[in-house]
PDB file of all heavy atoms in Angstrom:
ATOM      1  N   LEU A   1     -14.246   7.519  24.676  1.00  0.00           N
ATOM      2  CA  LEU A   1     -14.414   8.015  23.322  1.00  0.00           C
ATOM      3  C   LEU A   1     -13.071   8.117  22.589  1.00  0.00           C
ATOM      4  O   LEU A   1     -12.855   7.637  21.485  1.00  0.00           O
ATOM      5  CB  LEU A   1     -15.208   9.346  23.307  1.00  0.00           C
ATOM      6  CG  LEU A   1     -15.461   9.903  21.884  1.00  0.00           C
ATOM      7  CD1 LEU A   1     -16.363   8.954  21.160  1.00  0.00           C
ATOM      8  CD2 LEU A   1     -16.061  11.254  22.033  1.00  0.00           C
ATOM      9  N   ALA A   2     -12.060   8.728  23.281  1.00  0.00           N
ATOM     10  CA  ALA A   2     -10.750   8.858  22.627  1.00  0.00           C
ATOM     11  C   ALA A   2     -10.093   7.500  22.407  1.00  0.00           C
ATOM     12  O   ALA A   2      -9.507   7.250  21.383  1.00  0.00           O
ATOM     13  CB  ALA A   2      -9.861   9.710  23.567  1.00  0.00           C
ATOM     14  N   ALA A   3     -10.204   6.588  23.376  1.00  0.00           N
ATOM     15  CA  ALA A   3      -9.656   5.276  23.303  1.00  0.00           C
ATOM     16  C   ALA A   3     -10.344   4.569  22.155  1.00  0.00           C
ATOM     17  O   ALA A   3      -9.691   3.878  21.346  1.00  0.00           O
ATOM     18  CB  ALA A   3      -9.789   4.489  24.580  1.00  0.00           C
ATOM     19  N   ALA A   4     -11.620   4.691  22.004  1.00  0.00           N
ATOM     20  CA  ALA A   4     -12.434   4.078  20.908  1.00  0.00           C
ATOM     21  C   ALA A   4     -11.942   4.605  19.567  1.00  0.00           C
ATOM     22  O   ALA A   4     -11.840   3.809  18.568  1.00  0.00           O
ATOM     23  CB  ALA A   4     -13.940   4.241  21.108  1.00  0.00           C
ATOM     24  N   ALA A   5     -11.793   5.915  19.439  1.00  0.00           N
ATOM     25  CA  ALA A   5     -11.374   6.536  18.145  1.00  0.00           C
ATOM     26  C   ALA A   5     -10.023   5.998  17.782  1.00  0.00           C
ATOM     27  O   ALA A   5      -9.790   5.604  16.583  1.00  0.00           O
ATOM     28  CB  ALA A   5     -11.354   8.036  18.319  1.00  0.00           C
ATOM     29  N   LEU A   6      -9.118   5.867  18.715  1.00  0.00           N
ATOM     30  CA  LEU A   6      -7.792   5.349  18.357  1.00  0.00           C
ATOM     31  C   LEU A   6      -7.840   3.823  18.034  1.00  0.00           C
ATOM     32  O   LEU A   6      -7.115   3.387  17.137  1.00  0.00           O
ATOM     33  CB  LEU A   6      -6.819   5.522  19.565  1.00  0.00           C
ATOM     34  CG  LEU A   6      -6.381   7.024  19.825  1.00  0.00           C
ATOM     35  CD1 LEU A   6      -5.670   7.086  21.191  1.00  0.00           C
ATOM     36  CD2 LEU A   6      -5.487   7.528  18.729  1.00  0.00           C
ATOM     37  N   THR A   7      -8.643   3.143  18.660  1.00  0.00           N
ATOM     38  CA  THR A   7      -8.853   1.744  18.408  1.00  0.00           C
ATOM     39  C   THR A   7      -9.480   1.553  17.024  1.00  0.00           C
ATOM     40  O   THR A   7      -9.052   0.678  16.242  1.00  0.00           O
ATOM     41  CB  THR A   7      -9.813   1.108  19.394  1.00  0.00           C
ATOM     42  OG1 THR A   7      -9.235   1.232  20.728  1.00  0.00           O
ATOM     43  CG2 THR A   7     -10.035  -0.409  19.142  1.00  0.00           C
ATOM     44  N   VAL A   8     -10.412   2.446  16.619  1.00  0.00           N
ATOM     45  CA  VAL A   8     -10.997   2.390  15.252  1.00  0.00           C
ATOM     46  C   VAL A   8      -9.869   2.622  14.218  1.00  0.00           C
ATOM     47  O   VAL A   8      -9.809   1.935  13.166  1.00  0.00           O
ATOM     48  CB  VAL A   8     -12.156   3.340  15.137  1.00  0.00           C
ATOM     49  CG1 VAL A   8     -12.546   3.590  13.631  1.00  0.00           C
ATOM     50  CG2 VAL A   8     -13.366   2.891  15.872  1.00  0.00           C
ATOM     51  N   LEU A   9      -9.035   3.603  14.480  1.00  0.00           N
ATOM     52  CA  LEU A   9      -7.930   3.870  13.585  1.00  0.00           C
ATOM     53  C   LEU A   9      -7.013   2.638  13.385  1.00  0.00           C
ATOM     54  O   LEU A   9      -6.647   2.228  12.277  1.00  0.00           O
ATOM     55  CB  LEU A   9      -7.086   5.061  14.081  1.00  0.00           C
ATOM     56  CG  LEU A   9      -5.871   5.436  13.261  1.00  0.00           C
ATOM     57  CD1 LEU A   9      -6.254   5.838  11.850  1.00  0.00           C
ATOM     58  CD2 LEU A   9      -5.078   6.526  13.925  1.00  0.00           C
ATOM     59  N   ASP A  10      -6.689   1.968  14.518  1.00  0.00           N
ATOM     60  CA  ASP A  10      -5.890   0.699  14.452  1.00  0.00           C
ATOM     61  C   ASP A  10      -6.606  -0.307  13.580  1.00  0.00           C
ATOM     62  O   ASP A  10      -6.000  -0.939  12.787  1.00  0.00           O
ATOM     63  CB  ASP A  10      -5.686   0.222  15.843  1.00  0.00           C
ATOM     64  CG  ASP A  10      -5.165  -1.201  15.866  1.00  0.00           C
ATOM     65  OD1 ASP A  10      -3.969  -1.400  15.431  1.00  0.00           O
ATOM     66  OD2 ASP A  10      -5.863  -2.124  16.277  1.00  0.00           O
ATOM     67  N   GLN A  11      -7.885  -0.515  13.863  1.00  0.00           N
ATOM     68  CA  GLN A  11      -8.640  -1.532  13.152  1.00  0.00           C
ATOM     69  C   GLN A  11      -8.761  -1.191  11.593  1.00  0.00           C
ATOM     70  O   GLN A  11      -8.708  -2.154  10.801  1.00  0.00           O
ATOM     71  CB  GLN A  11     -10.036  -1.755  13.764  1.00  0.00           C
ATOM     72  CG  GLN A  11      -9.977  -2.350  15.108  1.00  0.00           C
ATOM     73  CD  GLN A  11      -9.442  -3.722  15.056  1.00  0.00           C
ATOM     74  OE1 GLN A  11      -9.947  -4.637  14.367  1.00  0.00           O
ATOM     75  NE2 GLN A  11      -8.348  -3.989  15.803  1.00  0.00           N
ATOM     76  N   ILE A  12      -8.870   0.072  11.293  1.00  0.00           N
ATOM     77  CA  ILE A  12      -8.912   0.416   9.820  1.00  0.00           C
ATOM     78  C   ILE A  12      -7.603   0.015   9.156  1.00  0.00           C
ATOM     79  O   ILE A  12      -7.538  -0.563   8.088  1.00  0.00           O
ATOM     80  CB  ILE A  12      -9.213   1.946   9.720  1.00  0.00           C
ATOM     81  CG1 ILE A  12     -10.728   2.181  10.075  1.00  0.00           C
ATOM     82  CG2 ILE A  12      -8.863   2.400   8.283  1.00  0.00           C
ATOM     83  CD1 ILE A  12     -11.002   3.688  10.160  1.00  0.00           C
ATOM     84  N   THR A  13      -6.468   0.351   9.872  1.00  0.00           N
ATOM     85  CA  THR A  13      -5.150   0.013   9.259  1.00  0.00           C
ATOM     86  C   THR A  13      -5.024  -1.515   9.094  1.00  0.00           C
ATOM     87  O   THR A  13      -4.476  -2.002   8.166  1.00  0.00           O
ATOM     88  CB  THR A  13      -3.971   0.556  10.097  1.00  0.00           C
ATOM     89  OG1 THR A  13      -3.973  -0.103  11.408  1.00  0.00           O
ATOM     90  CG2 THR A  13      -4.015   2.076  10.261  1.00  0.00           C
ATOM     91  N   LYS A  14      -5.547  -2.265  10.039  1.00  0.00           N
ATOM     92  CA  LYS A  14      -5.491  -3.731   9.942  1.00  0.00           C
ATOM     93  C   LYS A  14      -6.369  -4.241   8.809  1.00  0.00           C
ATOM     94  O   LYS A  14      -6.009  -5.209   8.111  1.00  0.00           O
ATOM     95  CB  LYS A  14      -5.840  -4.378  11.293  1.00  0.00           C
ATOM     96  CG  LYS A  14      -4.745  -4.178  12.378  1.00  0.00           C
ATOM     97  CD  LYS A  14      -5.219  -4.652  13.675  1.00  0.00           C
ATOM     98  CE  LYS A  14      -4.130  -4.492  14.770  1.00  0.00           C
ATOM     99  NZ  LYS A  14      -4.644  -4.781  16.095  1.00  0.00           N
ATOM    100  N   LEU A  15      -7.557  -3.687   8.639  1.00  0.00           N
ATOM    101  CA  LEU A  15      -8.424  -4.082   7.547  1.00  0.00           C
ATOM    102  C   LEU A  15      -7.697  -3.813   6.234  1.00  0.00           C
ATOM    103  O   LEU A  15      -7.792  -4.606   5.285  1.00  0.00           O
ATOM    104  CB  LEU A  15      -9.764  -3.321   7.653  1.00  0.00           C
ATOM    105  CG  LEU A  15     -10.721  -3.788   8.736  1.00  0.00           C
ATOM    106  CD1 LEU A  15     -11.913  -2.833   8.763  1.00  0.00           C
ATOM    107  CD2 LEU A  15     -11.161  -5.163   8.520  1.00  0.00           C
ATOM    108  N   LEU A  16      -7.081  -2.616   6.109  1.00  0.00           N
ATOM    109  CA  LEU A  16      -6.362  -2.283   4.880  1.00  0.00           C
ATOM    110  C   LEU A  16      -5.215  -3.336   4.672  1.00  0.00           C
ATOM    111  O   LEU A  16      -4.973  -3.697   3.515  1.00  0.00           O
ATOM    112  CB  LEU A  16      -5.800  -0.915   4.964  1.00  0.00           C
ATOM    113  CG  LEU A  16      -6.901   0.197   4.925  1.00  0.00           C
ATOM    114  CD1 LEU A  16      -6.217   1.569   5.200  1.00  0.00           C
ATOM    115  CD2 LEU A  16      -7.624   0.198   3.572  1.00  0.00           C
ATOM    116  N   ALA A  17      -4.521  -3.669   5.761  1.00  0.00           N
ATOM    117  CA  ALA A  17      -3.452  -4.679   5.637  1.00  0.00           C
ATOM    118  C   ALA A  17      -3.992  -6.007   5.123  1.00  0.00           C
ATOM    119  O   ALA A  17      -3.403  -6.625   4.227  1.00  0.00           O
ATOM    120  CB  ALA A  17      -2.738  -4.832   6.931  1.00  0.00           C
ATOM    121  N   VAL A  18      -5.095  -6.453   5.631  1.00  0.00           N
ATOM    122  CA  VAL A  18      -5.694  -7.720   5.226  1.00  0.00           C
ATOM    123  C   VAL A  18      -6.087  -7.583   3.746  1.00  0.00           C
ATOM    124  O   VAL A  18      -5.746  -8.496   2.944  1.00  0.00           O
ATOM    125  CB  VAL A  18      -6.892  -8.032   6.081  1.00  0.00           C
ATOM    126  CG1 VAL A  18      -7.675  -9.276   5.444  1.00  0.00           C
ATOM    127  CG2 VAL A  18      -6.422  -8.441   7.519  1.00  0.00           C
ATOM    128  N   ARG A  19      -6.699  -6.527   3.347  1.00  0.00           N
ATOM    129  CA  ARG A  19      -7.191  -6.344   2.032  1.00  0.00           C
ATOM    130  C   ARG A  19      -6.093  -6.230   0.951  1.00  0.00           C
ATOM    131  O   ARG A  19      -6.098  -6.784  -0.093  1.00  0.00           O
ATOM    132  CB  ARG A  19      -8.109  -5.115   1.941  1.00  0.00           C
ATOM    133  CG  ARG A  19      -8.747  -4.923   0.557  1.00  0.00           C
ATOM    134  CD  ARG A  19      -9.803  -3.949   0.572  1.00  0.00           C
ATOM    135  NE  ARG A  19     -10.452  -3.916  -0.741  1.00  0.00           N
ATOM    136  CZ  ARG A  19     -11.407  -3.182  -1.014  1.00  0.00           C
ATOM    137  NH1 ARG A  19     -11.900  -2.381  -0.160  1.00  0.00           N
ATOM    138  NH2 ARG A  19     -11.933  -3.254  -2.262  1.00  0.00           N
ATOM    139  N   TYR A  20      -5.080  -5.441   1.311  1.00  0.00           N
ATOM    140  CA  TYR A  20      -4.064  -5.108   0.298  1.00  0.00           C
ATOM    141  C   TYR A  20      -2.727  -5.789   0.467  1.00  0.00           C
ATOM    142  O   TYR A  20      -1.899  -5.712  -0.451  1.00  0.00           O
ATOM    143  CB  TYR A  20      -3.840  -3.599   0.197  1.00  0.00           C
ATOM    144  CG  TYR A  20      -5.054  -2.867  -0.223  1.00  0.00           C
ATOM    145  CD1 TYR A  20      -5.846  -2.115   0.651  1.00  0.00           C
ATOM    146  CD2 TYR A  20      -5.508  -2.932  -1.591  1.00  0.00           C
ATOM    147  CE1 TYR A  20      -6.987  -1.433   0.304  1.00  0.00           C
ATOM    148  CE2 TYR A  20      -6.630  -2.255  -1.953  1.00  0.00           C
ATOM    149  CZ  TYR A  20      -7.340  -1.583  -1.032  1.00  0.00           C
ATOM    150  OH  TYR A  20      -8.499  -0.848  -1.488  1.00  0.00           O
ATOM    151  N   LEU A  21      -2.458  -6.432   1.614  1.00  0.00           N
ATOM    152  CA  LEU A  21      -1.167  -7.101   1.858  1.00  0.00           C
ATOM    153  C   LEU A  21      -1.237  -8.616   1.938  1.00  0.00           C
ATOM    154  O   LEU A  21      -0.194  -9.212   1.632  1.00  0.00           O
ATOM    155  CB  LEU A  21      -0.495  -6.483   3.110  1.00  0.00           C
ATOM    156  CG  LEU A  21      -0.167  -4.997   3.105  1.00  0.00           C
ATOM    157  CD1 LEU A  21       0.326  -4.528   4.443  1.00  0.00           C
ATOM    158  CD2 LEU A  21       0.787  -4.662   1.995  1.00  0.00           C
ATOM    159  N   LYS A  22      -2.274  -9.131   2.399  1.00  0.00           N
ATOM    160  CA  LYS A  22      -2.429 -10.618   2.607  1.00  0.00           C
ATOM    161  C   LYS A  22      -2.220 -11.324   1.270  1.00  0.00           C
ATOM    162  O   LYS A  22      -2.872 -11.046   0.282  1.00  0.00           O
ATOM    163  CB  LYS A  22      -3.720 -10.966   3.290  1.00  0.00           C
ATOM    164  CG  LYS A  22      -3.866 -12.415   3.606  1.00  0.00           C
ATOM    165  CD  LYS A  22      -5.146 -12.716   4.323  1.00  0.00           C
ATOM    166  CE  LYS A  22      -5.153 -14.118   4.738  1.00  0.00           C
ATOM    167  NZ  LYS A  22      -6.389 -14.424   5.585  1.00  0.00           N
ATOM    168  N   GLY A  23      -1.278 -12.261   1.304  1.00  0.00           N
ATOM    169  CA  GLY A  23      -0.963 -13.012   0.054  1.00  0.00           C
ATOM    170  C   GLY A  23      -0.207 -12.246  -1.005  1.00  0.00           C
ATOM    171  O   GLY A  23      -0.061 -12.777  -2.061  1.00  0.00           O
ATOM    172  N   GLN A  24       0.194 -11.063  -0.683  1.00  0.00           N
ATOM    173  CA  GLN A  24       0.929 -10.222  -1.640  1.00  0.00           C
ATOM    174  C   GLN A  24       2.429 -10.131  -1.239  1.00  0.00           C
ATOM    175  O   GLN A  24       2.785 -10.388  -0.099  1.00  0.00           O
ATOM    176  CB  GLN A  24       0.344  -8.805  -1.725  1.00  0.00           C
ATOM    177  CG  GLN A  24      -1.129  -8.768  -2.041  1.00  0.00           C
ATOM    178  CD  GLN A  24      -1.373  -9.294  -3.448  1.00  0.00           C
ATOM    179  OE1 GLN A  24      -0.706  -8.937  -4.378  1.00  0.00           O
ATOM    180  NE2 GLN A  24      -2.403 -10.144  -3.531  1.00  0.00           N
ATOM    181  N   ALA A  25       3.251  -9.729  -2.180  1.00  0.00           N
ATOM    182  CA  ALA A  25       4.662  -9.451  -1.868  1.00  0.00           C
ATOM    183  C   ALA A  25       4.738  -8.225  -0.960  1.00  0.00           C
ATOM    184  O   ALA A  25       3.793  -7.377  -0.963  1.00  0.00           O
ATOM    185  CB  ALA A  25       5.393  -9.193  -3.185  1.00  0.00           C
ATOM    186  N   ASN A  26       5.757  -8.078  -0.232  1.00  0.00           N
ATOM    187  CA  ASN A  26       6.029  -6.910   0.653  1.00  0.00           C
ATOM    188  C   ASN A  26       5.928  -5.676  -0.246  1.00  0.00           C
ATOM    189  O   ASN A  26       6.381  -5.631  -1.370  1.00  0.00           O
ATOM    190  CB  ASN A  26       7.393  -6.986   1.268  1.00  0.00           C
ATOM    191  CG  ASN A  26       7.491  -8.110   2.271  1.00  0.00           C
ATOM    192  OD1 ASN A  26       6.582  -8.938   2.417  1.00  0.00           O
ATOM    193  ND2 ASN A  26       8.603  -8.154   2.993  1.00  0.00           N
ATOM    194  N   ARG A  27       5.419  -4.603   0.447  1.00  0.00           N
ATOM    195  CA  ARG A  27       5.361  -3.314  -0.206  1.00  0.00           C
ATOM    196  C   ARG A  27       6.523  -2.514   0.410  1.00  0.00           C
ATOM    197  O   ARG A  27       6.516  -2.194   1.573  1.00  0.00           O
ATOM    198  CB  ARG A  27       4.049  -2.603  -0.003  1.00  0.00           C
ATOM    199  CG  ARG A  27       2.862  -3.371  -0.387  1.00  0.00           C
ATOM    200  CD  ARG A  27       2.264  -2.870  -1.614  1.00  0.00           C
ATOM    201  NE  ARG A  27       1.238  -3.729  -2.071  1.00  0.00           N
ATOM    202  CZ  ARG A  27       0.023  -3.393  -2.435  1.00  0.00           C
ATOM    203  NH1 ARG A  27      -0.268  -2.115  -2.446  1.00  0.00           N
ATOM    204  NH2 ARG A  27      -0.806  -4.241  -2.851  1.00  0.00           N
ATOM    205  N   ILE A  28       7.550  -2.204  -0.387  1.00  0.00           N
ATOM    206  CA  ILE A  28       8.716  -1.464   0.097  1.00  0.00           C
ATOM    207  C   ILE A  28       8.421   0.016   0.063  1.00  0.00           C
ATOM    208  O   ILE A  28       8.141   0.574  -1.027  1.00  0.00           O
ATOM    209  CB  ILE A  28       9.957  -1.774  -0.743  1.00  0.00           C
ATOM    210  CG1 ILE A  28      10.272  -3.341  -0.605  1.00  0.00           C
ATOM    211  CG2 ILE A  28      11.099  -0.968  -0.284  1.00  0.00           C
ATOM    212  CD1 ILE A  28      11.316  -3.829  -1.541  1.00  0.00           C
ATOM    213  N   LEU A  29       8.459   0.642   1.260  1.00  0.00           N
ATOM    214  CA  LEU A  29       8.065   2.067   1.226  1.00  0.00           C
ATOM    215  C   LEU A  29       9.400   2.867   1.281  1.00  0.00           C
ATOM    216  O   LEU A  29       9.480   3.912   0.543  1.00  0.00           O
ATOM    217  CB  LEU A  29       7.306   2.414   2.525  1.00  0.00           C
ATOM    218  CG  LEU A  29       5.908   1.701   2.626  1.00  0.00           C
ATOM    219  CD1 LEU A  29       5.167   2.170   3.811  1.00  0.00           C
ATOM    220  CD2 LEU A  29       5.063   2.075   1.331  1.00  0.00           C
ATOM    221  N   ILE A  30      10.362   2.442   2.007  1.00  0.00           N
ATOM    222  CA  ILE A  30      11.712   3.073   2.065  1.00  0.00           C
ATOM    223  C   ILE A  30      12.756   1.950   1.872  1.00  0.00           C
ATOM    224  O   ILE A  30      12.888   1.105   2.802  1.00  0.00           O
ATOM    225  CB  ILE A  30      11.955   3.849   3.354  1.00  0.00           C
ATOM    226  CG1 ILE A  30      10.895   4.932   3.622  1.00  0.00           C
ATOM    227  CG2 ILE A  30      13.339   4.523   3.337  1.00  0.00           C
ATOM    228  CD1 ILE A  30      10.979   5.524   4.994  1.00  0.00           C
ATOM    229  N   PRO A  31      13.304   1.860   0.681  1.00  0.00           N
ATOM    230  CA  PRO A  31      14.154   0.703   0.424  1.00  0.00           C
ATOM    231  C   PRO A  31      15.231   0.492   1.470  1.00  0.00           C
ATOM    232  O   PRO A  31      15.940   1.440   1.904  1.00  0.00           O
ATOM    233  CB  PRO A  31      14.827   1.063  -0.958  1.00  0.00           C
ATOM    234  CG  PRO A  31      13.843   1.944  -1.572  1.00  0.00           C
ATOM    235  CD  PRO A  31      13.215   2.744  -0.430  1.00  0.00           C
ATOM    236  N   GLY A  32      15.343  -0.701   2.009  1.00  0.00           N
ATOM    237  CA  GLY A  32      16.335  -1.061   3.010  1.00  0.00           C
ATOM    238  C   GLY A  32      16.029  -0.536   4.388  1.00  0.00           C
ATOM    239  O   GLY A  32      16.829  -0.791   5.280  1.00  0.00           O
ATOM    240  N   VAL A  33      14.838   0.052   4.582  1.00  0.00           N
ATOM    241  CA  VAL A  33      14.509   0.630   5.895  1.00  0.00           C
ATOM    242  C   VAL A  33      13.137   0.188   6.338  1.00  0.00           C
ATOM    243  O   VAL A  33      12.972  -0.377   7.426  1.00  0.00           O
ATOM    244  CB  VAL A  33      14.533   2.136   5.875  1.00  0.00           C
ATOM    245  CG1 VAL A  33      14.113   2.765   7.213  1.00  0.00           C
ATOM    246  CG2 VAL A  33      15.977   2.675   5.461  1.00  0.00           C
TER     247      VAL A  33
END
């Protein structure tokens, strides 16, 4: 259950990356870092 919950968290971040980052310019969170 714990491994599944952490895996779901990982997959959510990847879905967000596909949706909001694919084909887009880099999103700078901390300039130069």
Side-chain angles (χ1 to χ4, degrees):
L1 182 63
L6 290 171
T7 302
V8 167
L9 177 63
D10 167 69
Q11 289 297 301
I12 289 170
T13 64
K14 289 173 180 172
L15 287 173
L16 292 171
V18 170
R19 183 169 186 179
Y20 295 108
L21 298 174
K22 186 175 184 175
Q24 303 295 317
N26 293 6
R27 305 254 173 133
I28 299 170
L29 300 181
I30 303 172
V33 178

